[in-house]
Amino acid sequence: MEHTVQIIEKPDWVSWEEIREVIWASHAENRENGIINAFPSLPSDEIRKKVGDEGKMFVALDGKKVIGTWAVLIKNNRKWFTSGEYAYECFVTVLPEYRRTRAYFLLSRTAMDYIRWKGLSLTTGDAHENNKTILKLKLREGYQYVAYKACKDHYNVVIAKWLNECPYPSWYIKFRFQLSKLYLKTRYKMVPGKGKVKRFGI
């Protein structure tokens, strides 16, 4: 069956609860494999708050049915790889039965067009370190691993993509990523069900 996929900014007639249901359903396989992130488990009000008034939630529609989501937030933090505004992508997902359609590609293109329209040259995101499927996909799309991030019960890999010329050589990016990984895995011990525990009194 051929699907006609449309990408739009979340309209008022799409509820945040429907958004939550799509995100939750899309991560069922990850949960079965023990890959559990906080964002897919958030209630609808928390998803709305995360996106906020300044963020954009794009949805993929098959008719009136939401089949995928992709949020873009604008952040302004000092990291080793940025010192100004940059984009942060989250709630990126497509329902399993629609993954052979163009939904993911169309969502990605819409998000990148928006990020460029905002005048930003860097976009980032993160994923569970054991989610090899999405991490390999992001590498093929031109993202690079730039840091590790300690979350409850697990680590995330932080990814980044420069939309213009990357200002750092590849060896330096790999070095900073490995340094971040070593630092966090020395500093924290993950205790399932109890969150992260600082080691050596650091």
Side-chain angles (χ1 to χ4, degrees):
M1 179 181 177
E2 187 174 343
H3 300 283
T4 301
V5 178
Q6 179 186 15
I7 310 298
I8 61 172
E9 184 180 346
K10 176 195 165 306
D12 291 339
W13 53 264
V14 171
S15 70
W16 287 103
E17 181 59 26
E18 185 174 2
I19 297 287
R20 185 203 68 80
E21 290 172 357
V22 170
I23 294 169
W24 177 257
S26 298
H27 284 266
E29 185 177 347
N30 282 338
R31 290 193 298 275
E32 291 172 4
N33 293 328
I35 302 172
I36 300 174
N37 277 326
F39 277 17
S41 304
L42 291 176
S44 56
D45 282 349
E46 289 300 314
I47 295 174
R48 178 183 57 80
K49 289 177 184 177
K50 283 284 185 186
V51 177
D53 295 332
E54 300 301 319
K56 294 288 183 185
M57 172 63 81
F58 299 102
V59 295
L61 300 174
D62 180 10
K64 293 286 187 178
K65 178 183 178 181
V66 178
I67 63 169
T69 64
W70 197 304
V72 178
L73 315 183
I74 308 302
K75 296 197 171 189
N76 192 343
N77 296 322
R78 289 191 65 86
K79 308 283 186 182
W80 78 259
F81 48 88
T82 183
S83 59
E85 282 195 334
Y86 62 96
Y88 174 72
E89 303 165 54
C90 55
F91 302 115
V92 175
T93 197
V94 174
L95 287 172
E97 60 268 32
Y98 286 89
R99 287 176 187 165
R100 293 186 180 275
T101 69
R102 299 178 73 239
Y104 178 89
F105 166 75
L106 294 172
L107 279 165
S108 175
R109 187 176 68 182
T110 301
M112 293 305 110
D113 286 347
Y114 171 71
I115 291 166
R116 289 188 176 92
W117 178 79
K118 291 290 289 184
L120 302 176
S121 59
L122 177 68
T123 183
T124 67
D126 55 85
H128 195 295
E129 67 172 344
N130 293 331
N131 195 341
K132 304 303 182 185
T133 300
I134 191 65
L135 289 174
K136 287 180 181 178
L137 173 63
K138 288 301 183 181
L139 283 179
R140 290 200 300 268
E141 293 176 350
Y143 290 77
Q144 301 187 66
Y145 300 167
V146 294
Y148 248 61
K149 178 179 176 181
C151 303
K152 185 177 181 180
D153 293 352
H154 70 277
Y155 299 97
N156 272 11
V157 174
V158 179
I159 56 174
K161 179 178 180 179
W162 284 267
L163 304 184
N164 300 322
E165 184 178 355
C166 177
Y168 307 103
S170 59
W171 69 264
Y172 183 71
I173 296 172
K174 291 176 182 176
F175 169 73
R176 292 302 300 251
F177 171 69
Q178 293 298 334
L179 188 66
S180 172
K181 180 177 180 179
L182 177 65
Y183 172 75
L184 282 185
K185 293 213 168 184
T186 300
R187 179 175 177 137
Y188 294 108
K189 179 181 179 181
M190 292 295 169
V191 181
K194 295 184 180 179
K196 57 194 179 188
V197 177
K198 291 183 180 180
R199 301 178 67 186
F200 310 122
I202 297 175

